[in-house]
Structures are given as structure tokens and as C-alpha cells.
Amino acid sequence: MAKVQLLAILSLDGCLSEKSGDARWWLRPERYGIEELHHNATSVLDEETSLSTLTAWLQRKDDAVYLIEASLETAEIVNGMLRMHLIDEIILYTVPFIAGNGSQLFKSSLPLSYWKPIGNKEYNGGIIRTIYHRKQLME
């Protein structure tokens, strides 16, 4: 069955870690498995993604993997996907700094959802990757 993965890189206080500023770790994404995520995705989604088209794609009986990376540009569509329960997996990289006044990814208007951690890995510099699967209500 097709699935949607969210790749989110956040500071300790939940702010988006952009590829500029204090995100020096972005200089070597191959060290953190990010290039592999992009390579393994059937399609990489962006802010132009139509939620109705994505919903139709997800009805297919294939093993397609749709990846969307959280950024300032995609935050609105990511929150729309979360509202519609379209995201199946969150791959969360936590970068050990506090942004203080950055842009929060997860908006307060999101519906309640539960996520099960299925694995984590710590990298040099204190970066931690945790993978979560969305729990079904009956789990």
C-alpha cells in the first residue's frame, strides 16, 4: 500500500531547521541518511502538491512512497496532510539547538493523532533521528 513520509528537521523547541543559519550539519546530508530517503522515494512532494491528487494516488494498491520535506515553503501543505491523516510516517531529526523565535512546523489547529516510535539513531553532534508510524485508533 502506498504511504506518505514526512521528513522534518526541527530544533529542540520545535522550530524548522532551515538549510541556512545555524544548520551547519546540512553540509553533509549523506551522513544522516537524508539522501537515501530522497533516493528511495517514488516521488518527492512539494508545496504545489494537490491533496486531492495525493489522496487518489494513495488509493492505488502499490508500494509507492511519497516523501515531503518540511520547510517554510511546505509547512502549510504538511499541516493540511496531517489534518487529513494522509501522513503515515514521520522521520524526525532533532538538532540540538534552541531557535527561540523560529517557525513552528506543527500548528495548533491539528487534530489529535497518535504516533508509535519504531526506531531512533543518534549521530555525531547530538543529532537524533526518530521514526514514528501513525497509530490507527484500534491499535
Side-chain angles (χ1 to χ4, degrees):
M1 188 89 177
K3 72 176 179 178
V4 178
Q5 294 177 320
L6 167 61
L7 168 60
I9 300 139
L10 303 179
S11 63
L12 290 173
D13 56 346
C15 294
L16 286 164
S17 178
E18 291 296 320
K19 294 180 183 179
S20 60
D22 195 21
R24 291 181 294 269
W25 71 281
W26 265 107
L27 298 174
R28 306 294 295 277
E30 69 280 359
R31 286 188 179 174
Y32 306 102
I34 293 171
E35 285 183 347
E36 184 178 351
L37 289 170
H38 283 270
H39 176 70
N40 291 338
T42 305
S43 180
V44 177
L45 309 175
D46 61 21
E47 64 275 8
E48 301 297 322
T49 300
S50 161
L51 292 181
S52 58
T53 301
L54 178 59
T55 302
W57 290 344
L58 293 174
Q59 300 304 316
R60 297 181 194 162
K61 302 288 187 228
D62 61 14
D63 292 330
V65 175
Y66 301 99
L67 176 70
I68 186 155
E69 187 170 344
S71 67
L72 292 174
E73 293 79 22
T74 63
E76 187 174 323
I77 191 81
V78 165
N79 279 275
M81 290 175 175
L82 287 165
R83 276 186 215 92
M84 295 176 66
H85 302 283
L86 296 177
I87 295 178
D88 303 296
E89 186 174 271
I90 297 174
I91 303 162
L92 177 63
Y93 286 82
T94 305
V95 183
F97 71 91
I98 294 177
N101 61 357
S103 297
Q104 298 284 324
L105 173 60
F106 303 112
K107 302 300 179 190
S108 61
S109 61
L110 293 175
L112 179 65
S113 62
Y114 295 94
W115 298 83
K116 177 181 179 180
I118 63 160
N120 61 25
K121 182 174 181 177
E122 185 173 346
Y123 295 92
N124 288 338
I127 296 165
I128 298 174
R129 180 189 69 202
T130 307
I131 300 174
Y132 297 92
H133 279 181
R134 183 168 40 92
K135 290 178 72 171
Q136 301 303 321
L137 294 179
M138 296 299 164
E139 276 186 43

